[in-house]
Amino acid sequence: MDFNGSGGGNELHNNQFYPSEESKPLLGEMSAQQQPPPEGNNNHKAGPCSKRSLLHSSSGMRYKLLQEGDIQVCVVKHPRTFLSKLLTSKYLRRWEPHHLTLTDSSLVSATPTGYMEAPLSYSTIEDLQLLSWDNAPKYCVQLSFPGGTVLLQAANSYLRDQWFHSIQWKKKIYKYRKVLNNPSRWDVVLKEIRALVDMALTSPLQDESIHQAPLHIISTLLAENTNLSAQDHENIIVAIAPLLENNHPPPDLCEFFCKHCRERPRSMVVIEVFTPVVQRILKHNMDFGKCPRLRLFTQEYILALNELNAGMEVVKKFIHSMHGPTGQCPHPRVLPNLVAVCLAAIYSCYEEFINSRDNSPSLKEIRNGCQQQSERKPPMPLRLLRPEPPTPPPTTTLSPPPALPLSPPPSIVNSSEILVELERNNNTTNTLRKAPAEGDSEPNLIDCLLVSPALNALSIQLPAHADRVLGCFALILKMLSDYDDWRPALASLLQPIPFPKEALAHAKFTKELKYVIQRFAEDPRQEVHSCLLSVRSGKDGWFQLYSPGGVACDDDGELFASMVHILMGSCYKTKKFLLSLAENKLGPCMLLALRGNQTMVEILCLMLEYNIIENKDTQLQIISTLESTQVGLRMYEQLCDRQRELKELQRKGGPTRLTLPSKSTDADLARLLSSGSFGNLENLSLAFTNVTSACAEQLIKLPSLKQLNLWSTQFGDAGLRLLSEHLACLQVLNLCETPVTDAGLLSLSSMKSLCSLNMNSTKLTADTYEDLKAKLPNLKEVDVRYTEAW
């Protein structure tokens, strides 16, 4: 092929590879770069045969890092003094098409023949240049090596520049990897690291590996040199900080950061450099399971903040910064990531106790019903010591057996000791043998931790450091529960209970977590407080754990009563909930009622009113409990009055149809119904009156009622719930233009006799409408106009 024009010089630009230390900022920032223009827009015209360096060719362009591609190759072997003559000659050897791959160490052809019979190592490339000619559209990259030149010809100028920058990058990364593989002086190494970071920040290549490759090189260097001074730690962290603004640190680098957080928690590097890195992890990480060291680094960072003066205030400010100043957090991944970090940290506090258990029951035994093993040693207090190299082992009388070696726990719990005290009765053997495991199902948590004689008294004492870790991350869970927008997701993440059984048997932990459960119980949203219940039958939830007799109850049932109150107030399946209480928590309910708790008194009265309790002896016991307190006696007498009124209404009869005048109130309705007998009333119209949900107390005294018109009243969800429990014979219901919502309308699903339902101009949604249609088989006439379901 003919090359027209004159040749340029062939100087080596070695100073471009090692920029001077004074010319580079320590923490430089990447400037905003433009996207590459259409093909051919980068055709720079120079002299007849001009060469351009990297700095002149970038000019704001961004390129994708090439890993392989097709290109024309020509090799000219010559003494260096004849290079300009060869380049300006009119005859050049033939071009060969090759598919080249840019490996970590060399250029390799897919067809190793001709010019590319042997790989071209980056170490042999002395110089890279871009070539362009006037009057001849050739787009070439010149690679100079000892004894010759390799010319790579691309289809256009953009592709040529992409090849040039990719080879340049691979060559420099290869050299940095070689240089930093065998460090001699750390002051020189630090300069090389700064140069490597600067190269990555100023590279025109736009690819994830551009920042990841330097981080991996530096992390490998740090992993192989662990005896660095604290100042070297800080210098290296500051040098690589710009690369971490948009990248997660690799695993080895996370280990290095963790070590720095543990050894120098008060260092300013933790605040100034690690804070944006951890913020990025919490905002963008999708799965800690793929990189658990990111979670460990986040955990160590939070613990380092906690070691500062007024440490918990600093942690609170950090959590608040992750949520943001508005009422709604803009980052959906922050809460799940924070919860994952907290769960892992809390688990680590008990991990040594779980893994190093000697004479105490193992987790497997707990899950299988705490069956006694015949080879179990005599019961005695145990002191489990973690063996440490500089400390001689303790007395050998309680040394663990060879089959159960004590593995050192990871990172957090570098404990000195964990105390386990087990007290067994003399007659526990026969009791244990009566509790076999039921298949593979997990036994009740309360039974495992409290009722089982093998764990009659379990006392856990954590070491000082683990105790601080527990306090720190338990407080973070408290802070998370204080944000209204985070509370529903937090409640969902903590259901089912994700903590180990040892934590639930630890009084300090359950006392700290009680605040979170109280926040769930106080929240009016059903999706929050419904998470207090168990996810399935036979599986304990927070409601069971904090009930009287539960492993976490320390307040004689006050939290349990508040949970029952909120659940009863929002649960439209009242009878089902009462049945579950009667089956599982009747004893605690009666105990609290005996102590005068009004919520429990109401629960017992409802159980009697709905005929939940069938056993006569149990009914008499409940009545005695109610009569033992003033509030219970008063409510029981009101219950008896209501029951007598119902029976009287059914016996006396009365009118079958009744219409109240418009603007009538709840008091008017009450006076009217109390003035005579309405036991036969079947059709009642309260349309266009001022009645509210409070009138439901009077409506439920009409056992024969079949048609009820509440059009354009203020009758709401609370009244619907009460009607659904008592007026099972209701057939026609008009709720047009009432303030009822899905929460109340869903309760109508228990009224199987409904055949006509008017929900025109209400807040009915499509999902609720479909649910009602599925659960009301006799429903024939429905009006849903001007609703979401229309």
PDB file of all heavy atoms in Angstrom, residues 187-202:
ATOM      1  N   ASP A 187       7.236   5.086  50.440  1.00  0.00           N
ATOM      2  CA  ASP A 187       7.042   6.436  49.923  1.00  0.00           C
ATOM      3  C   ASP A 187       6.947   6.424  48.400  1.00  0.00           C
ATOM      4  O   ASP A 187       6.151   7.158  47.796  1.00  0.00           O
ATOM      5  CB  ASP A 187       8.172   7.351  50.399  1.00  0.00           C
ATOM      6  CG  ASP A 187       9.548   6.796  50.024  1.00  0.00           C
ATOM      7  OD1 ASP A 187       9.641   5.579  49.727  1.00  0.00           O
ATOM      8  OD2 ASP A 187      10.510   7.565  50.024  1.00  0.00           O
ATOM      9  N   VAL A 188       7.732   5.532  47.765  1.00  0.00           N
ATOM     10  CA  VAL A 188       7.643   5.390  46.310  1.00  0.00           C
ATOM     11  C   VAL A 188       6.320   4.722  45.928  1.00  0.00           C
ATOM     12  O   VAL A 188       5.663   5.102  44.955  1.00  0.00           O
ATOM     13  CB  VAL A 188       8.838   4.571  45.786  1.00  0.00           C
ATOM     14  CG1 VAL A 188       8.715   4.342  44.281  1.00  0.00           C
ATOM     15  CG2 VAL A 188      10.152   5.284  46.117  1.00  0.00           C
ATOM     16  N   VAL A 189       5.931   3.721  46.702  1.00  0.00           N
ATOM     17  CA  VAL A 189       4.671   3.039  46.423  1.00  0.00           C
ATOM     18  C   VAL A 189       3.506   4.014  46.503  1.00  0.00           C
ATOM     19  O   VAL A 189       2.587   3.973  45.681  1.00  0.00           O
ATOM     20  CB  VAL A 189       4.475   1.873  47.416  1.00  0.00           C
ATOM     21  CG1 VAL A 189       3.068   1.321  47.341  1.00  0.00           C
ATOM     22  CG2 VAL A 189       5.487   0.770  47.147  1.00  0.00           C
ATOM     23  N   LEU A 190       3.521   4.903  47.482  1.00  0.00           N
ATOM     24  CA  LEU A 190       2.440   5.864  47.621  1.00  0.00           C
ATOM     25  C   LEU A 190       2.358   6.785  46.408  1.00  0.00           C
ATOM     26  O   LEU A 190       1.272   7.104  45.926  1.00  0.00           O
ATOM     27  CB  LEU A 190       2.640   6.675  48.901  1.00  0.00           C
ATOM     28  CG  LEU A 190       1.520   7.653  49.256  1.00  0.00           C
ATOM     29  CD1 LEU A 190       0.203   6.919  49.451  1.00  0.00           C
ATOM     30  CD2 LEU A 190       1.877   8.443  50.502  1.00  0.00           C
ATOM     31  N   LYS A 191       3.521   7.197  45.885  1.00  0.00           N
ATOM     32  CA  LYS A 191       3.522   8.024  44.678  1.00  0.00           C
ATOM     33  C   LYS A 191       2.955   7.254  43.489  1.00  0.00           C
ATOM     34  O   LYS A 191       2.217   7.806  42.665  1.00  0.00           O
ATOM     35  CB  LYS A 191       4.943   8.500  44.373  1.00  0.00           C
ATOM     36  CG  LYS A 191       5.486   9.519  45.365  1.00  0.00           C
ATOM     37  CD  LYS A 191       6.874   9.990  44.968  1.00  0.00           C
ATOM     38  CE  LYS A 191       7.405  11.019  45.956  1.00  0.00           C
ATOM     39  NZ  LYS A 191       8.767  11.492  45.590  1.00  0.00           N
ATOM     40  N   GLU A 192       3.319   5.977  43.385  1.00  0.00           N
ATOM     41  CA  GLU A 192       2.788   5.160  42.292  1.00  0.00           C
ATOM     42  C   GLU A 192       1.262   4.996  42.420  1.00  0.00           C
ATOM     43  O   GLU A 192       0.538   5.015  41.414  1.00  0.00           O
ATOM     44  CB  GLU A 192       3.461   3.789  42.288  1.00  0.00           C
ATOM     45  CG  GLU A 192       4.959   3.805  42.036  1.00  0.00           C
ATOM     46  CD  GLU A 192       5.279   4.219  40.610  1.00  0.00           C
ATOM     47  OE1 GLU A 192       4.389   4.172  39.755  1.00  0.00           O
ATOM     48  OE2 GLU A 192       6.434   4.617  40.356  1.00  0.00           O
ATOM     49  N   ILE A 193       0.781   4.837  43.649  1.00  0.00           N
ATOM     50  CA  ILE A 193      -0.665   4.701  43.850  1.00  0.00           C
ATOM     51  C   ILE A 193      -1.375   5.982  43.446  1.00  0.00           C
ATOM     52  O   ILE A 193      -2.425   5.950  42.776  1.00  0.00           O
ATOM     53  CB  ILE A 193      -0.960   4.351  45.322  1.00  0.00           C
ATOM     54  CG1 ILE A 193      -0.497   2.920  45.624  1.00  0.00           C
ATOM     55  CG2 ILE A 193      -2.447   4.503  45.634  1.00  0.00           C
ATOM     56  CD1 ILE A 193      -0.664   2.524  47.078  1.00  0.00           C
ATOM     57  N   ARG A 194      -0.811   7.115  43.812  1.00  0.00           N
ATOM     58  CA  ARG A 194      -1.422   8.392  43.424  1.00  0.00           C
ATOM     59  C   ARG A 194      -1.419   8.563  41.916  1.00  0.00           C
ATOM     60  O   ARG A 194      -2.393   9.047  41.323  1.00  0.00           O
ATOM     61  CB  ARG A 194      -0.690   9.545  44.101  1.00  0.00           C
ATOM     62  CG  ARG A 194      -0.918   9.614  45.605  1.00  0.00           C
ATOM     63  CD  ARG A 194      -0.043  10.666  46.236  1.00  0.00           C
ATOM     64  NE  ARG A 194      -0.289  10.757  47.681  1.00  0.00           N
ATOM     65  CZ  ARG A 194       0.467  11.444  48.519  1.00  0.00           C
ATOM     66  NH1 ARG A 194       1.533  12.103  48.064  1.00  0.00           N
ATOM     67  NH2 ARG A 194       0.177  11.473  49.808  1.00  0.00           N
ATOM     68  N   ALA A 195      -0.329   8.163  41.283  1.00  0.00           N
ATOM     69  CA  ALA A 195      -0.268   8.254  39.822  1.00  0.00           C
ATOM     70  C   ALA A 195      -1.290   7.316  39.181  1.00  0.00           C
ATOM     71  O   ALA A 195      -1.935   7.661  38.181  1.00  0.00           O
ATOM     72  CB  ALA A 195       1.143   7.923  39.338  1.00  0.00           C
ATOM     73  N   LEU A 196      -1.455   6.116  39.747  1.00  0.00           N
ATOM     74  CA  LEU A 196      -2.427   5.163  39.225  1.00  0.00           C
ATOM     75  C   LEU A 196      -3.846   5.705  39.364  1.00  0.00           C
ATOM     76  O   LEU A 196      -4.655   5.604  38.426  1.00  0.00           O
ATOM     77  CB  LEU A 196      -2.279   3.838  39.975  1.00  0.00           C
ATOM     78  CG  LEU A 196      -3.289   2.729  39.655  1.00  0.00           C
ATOM     79  CD1 LEU A 196      -3.201   2.357  38.187  1.00  0.00           C
ATOM     80  CD2 LEU A 196      -3.036   1.516  40.535  1.00  0.00           C
ATOM     81  N   VAL A 197      -4.151   6.292  40.502  1.00  0.00           N
ATOM     82  CA  VAL A 197      -5.477   6.873  40.706  1.00  0.00           C
ATOM     83  C   VAL A 197      -5.713   8.027  39.745  1.00  0.00           C
ATOM     84  O   VAL A 197      -6.781   8.150  39.139  1.00  0.00           O
ATOM     85  CB  VAL A 197      -5.634   7.330  42.169  1.00  0.00           C
ATOM     86  CG1 VAL A 197      -6.915   8.130  42.353  1.00  0.00           C
ATOM     87  CG2 VAL A 197      -5.615   6.135  43.107  1.00  0.00           C
ATOM     88  N   ASP A 198      -4.708   8.870  39.581  1.00  0.00           N
ATOM     89  CA  ASP A 198      -4.834  10.003  38.665  1.00  0.00           C
ATOM     90  C   ASP A 198      -5.036   9.534  37.234  1.00  0.00           C
ATOM     91  O   ASP A 198      -5.821  10.117  36.481  1.00  0.00           O
ATOM     92  CB  ASP A 198      -3.588  10.879  38.772  1.00  0.00           C
ATOM     93  CG  ASP A 198      -3.732  12.171  37.990  1.00  0.00           C
ATOM     94  OD1 ASP A 198      -4.508  13.035  38.419  1.00  0.00           O
ATOM     95  OD2 ASP A 198      -3.067  12.308  36.936  1.00  0.00           O
ATOM     96  N   MET A 199      -4.344   8.474  36.861  1.00  0.00           N
ATOM     97  CA  MET A 199      -4.507   7.934  35.510  1.00  0.00           C
ATOM     98  C   MET A 199      -5.940   7.447  35.301  1.00  0.00           C
ATOM     99  O   MET A 199      -6.550   7.674  34.246  1.00  0.00           O
ATOM    100  CB  MET A 199      -3.524   6.793  35.286  1.00  0.00           C
ATOM    101  CG  MET A 199      -3.583   6.185  33.889  1.00  0.00           C
ATOM    102  SD  MET A 199      -2.652   4.655  33.750  1.00  0.00           S
ATOM    103  CE  MET A 199      -3.709   3.535  34.645  1.00  0.00           C
ATOM    104  N   ALA A 200      -6.504   6.757  36.312  1.00  0.00           N
ATOM    105  CA  ALA A 200      -7.872   6.261  36.177  1.00  0.00           C
ATOM    106  C   ALA A 200      -8.873   7.408  36.104  1.00  0.00           C
ATOM    107  O   ALA A 200      -9.868   7.332  35.367  1.00  0.00           O
ATOM    108  CB  ALA A 200      -8.199   5.340  37.346  1.00  0.00           C
ATOM    109  N   LEU A 201      -8.625   8.474  36.843  1.00  0.00           N
ATOM    110  CA  LEU A 201      -9.558   9.595  36.853  1.00  0.00           C
ATOM    111  C   LEU A 201      -9.513  10.407  35.568  1.00  0.00           C
ATOM    112  O   LEU A 201     -10.512  10.996  35.160  1.00  0.00           O
ATOM    113  CB  LEU A 201      -9.265  10.507  38.050  1.00  0.00           C
ATOM    114  CG  LEU A 201      -9.499   9.893  39.440  1.00  0.00           C
ATOM    115  CD1 LEU A 201      -9.070  10.858  40.520  1.00  0.00           C
ATOM    116  CD2 LEU A 201     -10.961   9.511  39.618  1.00  0.00           C
ATOM    117  N   THR A 202      -8.356  10.477  34.930  1.00  0.00           N
ATOM    118  CA  THR A 202      -8.205  11.298  33.719  1.00  0.00           C
ATOM    119  C   THR A 202      -8.319  10.497  32.440  1.00  0.00           C
ATOM    120  O   THR A 202      -8.227  11.060  31.356  1.00  0.00           O
ATOM    121  CB  THR A 202      -6.840  12.009  33.739  1.00  0.00           C
ATOM    122  OG1 THR A 202      -5.789  11.024  33.845  1.00  0.00           O
ATOM    123  CG2 THR A 202      -6.762  12.968  34.912  1.00  0.00           C
TER     124      THR A 202
END
